Amino acid sequence: MNIIIIEDEFRAAKSLQNLLSELKPDSKVLGVYDSIESSVEALSKGTMPDLIFMDIQLSDGLSFEIFKATDITCPVIFCTAFDQYMLDAFKSKGVDYVLKPFSREDIAEALKKVDDLKKFFQKNELPDLSLLLQKINQPVGKNSFLVFKNQKYTTVPTEEIAYFYIHNEITHLVTFAKEQFPLTQPLGQIAEQVSDKQFFRLNRQYLVNFKAIKEMEHYFQRKILVKLVIDTPEKLLINKEKTHSFFTWLENR
């Protein structure tokens, strides 16, 4: 397995190299890069590795910029001291998110996850890991919704829907373009029709699109406050009982 490490902390990079040598003796670290610029140059000119370990905060910015400049087709394990970038990581090619200071067990578990994905490929005769990542991110379910407004019927593609919510006991559809349409179906029925990889039922009132989620933060009474890329009529809160399933959804979608 050929591996690249993108990390601007010397000790963390060295620790990773030592652990990889111990846990994956047949692996080869092709290079260690400490900036966006050097990483983009290496990935653009060299062969794509089988796996990348990537820090998020680098000396010249956030490593998510690397994805905009290069076509990364291999899985990425993010290693960082900050947990606020978790959502962005999983929206990229992230297969795991390891918090610093990481342990031997953390890296071993992350490598096992990559191996499990490879075994899935081999079992299903898929040509490479990048195809599985694409397959995982392809939502299934209802493709569009028929809506009626201003005396006219039209269809709204599901991928253009930011969220569904209930207001005055009526379900509404809201698009990323901030258009709003009333629906006749109850929210529970809609939740069964859309892909559970694409949409999550935050609470009784809201069903949101993964792509609409901007950021999350801790709130009172161990709740999670979810903010979308467009405004919502009220705060989106997830109670502590549902927090685990929400983060599991983010990780496994």
Side-chain angles (χ1 to χ4, degrees):
M1 176 185 287
N2 292 327
I3 299 173
I4 280 179
I5 296 174
I6 299 176
E7 171 63 70
D8 65 349
E9 295 180 22
F10 176 79
R11 290 184 179 179
K14 191 63 177 178
S15 177
L16 263 178
Q17 288 179 284
N18 292 337
L19 286 172
L20 290 172
S21 177
E22 176 187 346
L23 296 169
K24 282 281 185 183
D26 58 337
S27 66
K28 180 180 180 182
V29 176
L30 300 179
V32 179
Y33 306 97
D34 62 359
S35 66
I36 296 172
E37 183 179 0
S38 60
S39 301
V40 170
E41 182 179 358
L43 290 168
S44 299
K45 294 181 178 180
T47 303
M48 186 62 57
D50 300 306
L51 177 65
I52 297 175
F53 279 86
M54 184 182 293
D55 191 5
I56 292 180
Q57 289 194 342
L58 300 175
S59 57
D60 53 352
L62 298 181
S63 61
F64 299 120
E65 296 299 318
I66 298 173
F67 293 90
K68 299 178 182 179
T70 60
D71 183 19
I72 295 179
T73 57
C74 69
V76 177
I77 296 174
F78 288 93
C79 296
T80 178
F82 306 93
D83 61 1
Q84 67 262 38
Y85 302 111
M86 187 178 297
L87 180 60
D88 292 316
F90 287 118
K91 283 185 175 180
S92 303
K93 293 290 194 305
V95 295
D96 209 349
Y97 193 94
V98 179
L99 286 175
K100 296 177 183 177
F102 50 77
S103 65
R104 181 183 186 279
E105 289 70 25
D106 293 331
I107 302 303
E109 185 176 344
L111 290 170
K112 181 179 183 303
K113 183 176 291 188
V114 174
D115 287 339
D116 288 343
L117 287 174
K118 284 190 173 181
K119 290 176 182 177
F120 180 92
F121 286 153
Q122 295 168 355
K123 179 180 178 181
N124 292 275
E125 299 182 351
L126 295 175
D128 59 46
L129 191 55
S130 63
L131 292 182
L132 179 59
L133 292 170
Q134 293 175 16
K135 182 181 178 69
I136 290 173
N137 289 324
Q138 288 179 350
V140 295
K142 191 175 177 67
N143 293 322
S144 62
F145 283 81
L146 181 67
V147 297
F148 181 78
K149 191 174 183 180
N150 298 329
Q151 305 302 313
K152 294 181 181 180
Y153 285 98
T154 187
T155 57
V156 178
T158 305
E159 63 183 14
E160 296 180 6
I161 300 171
Y163 63 92
F164 301 88
Y165 80 108
I166 298 174
H167 179 66
N168 291 335
E169 300 184 357
I170 297 175
T171 304
H172 296 263
L173 173 163
V174 181
T175 70
F176 284 99
K178 299 182 180 180
E179 295 179 302
Q180 184 166 308
F181 303 93
L183 300 175
T184 57
Q185 306 102 306
L187 191 60
Q189 181 178 331
I190 292 173
E192 294 176 355
Q193 295 174 341
V194 297
S195 167
D196 58 4
K197 289 186 177 295
Q198 187 177 15
F199 287 86
F200 187 86
R201 184 81 177 266
L202 294 182
N203 50 43
R204 293 181 61 186
Q205 286 76 35
Y206 283 85
L207 176 68
V208 303
N209 190 334
F210 176 83
K211 294 181 179 179
I213 300 175
K214 179 181 179 181
E215 58 188 12
M216 301 160 291
E217 61 185 56
H218 292 289
Y219 201 71
F220 298 109
Q221 298 178 337
R222 296 174 61 187
K223 294 180 180 180
I224 296 294
L225 173 64
V226 179
K227 297 181 181 180
L228 305 187
V229 295
I230 62 175
D231 294 334
T232 56
E234 52 200 336
K235 290 182 178 179
L236 304 187
L237 297 174
I238 304 177
N239 61 39
K240 60 182 180 181
E241 290 79 13
K242 205 167 187 176
T243 298
H244 177 73
S245 61
F246 176 62
F247 283 109
T248 299
W249 173 74
L250 289 174
E251 181 177 4
N252 296 323
R253 62 170 298 282

